[in-house]
Amino acid sequence: MQYAQCPVIFVLDGKAGQGGVFNLSRGGCAIESDLGAASGDPISLQITVPNRPQSDSVELGKVRWATRLECGVEFMVVIGDAQEGLDDFLIGMAKEGTSI
């Protein structure tokens, strides 16, 4: 199985950070980063998916679980084109048999 790489920049509880997205789905993702998160923290994301001219914005998310270097995020508010862009990306990945 192939894996796609998606960089992410985010604001977590008022602190800026960057990292990589894995386990991306329509309702959330996991992030690998060295900026510590705690369950319940608010987060906003800019996810850059391959072959898209712009990043997709998650205006509001919530950290649902966290370890030292990873956290799981539930998407709460995704605005317009960003949801469409993520959906198109996920459908394309499924058709190619690629995971993230």
Side-chain angles (χ1 to χ4, degrees), residues 35-52:
L35 187 62
S39 184
D41 282 348
I43 188 169
S44 61
L45 311 168
Q46 294 284 324
I47 301 170
T48 303
V49 298
N51 303 318
R52 281 209 21 102

Side-chain angles (χ1 to χ4, degrees), residues 54-92:
Q54 67 207 36
S55 59
D56 293 307
S57 297
V58 176
E59 298 294 322
L60 178 63
K62 189 174 215 176
V63 174
R64 292 299 183 186
W65 58 265
T67 66
R68 190 170 151 256
L69 297 176
E70 299 173 347
C71 66
V73 175
E74 178 184 4
F75 299 160
M76 309 295 282
V77 179
V78 183
I79 303 295
D81 288 346
Q83 187 64 63
E84 256 182 63
L86 289 172
D87 289 346
D88 290 346
F89 175 70
L90 291 168
I91 289 167

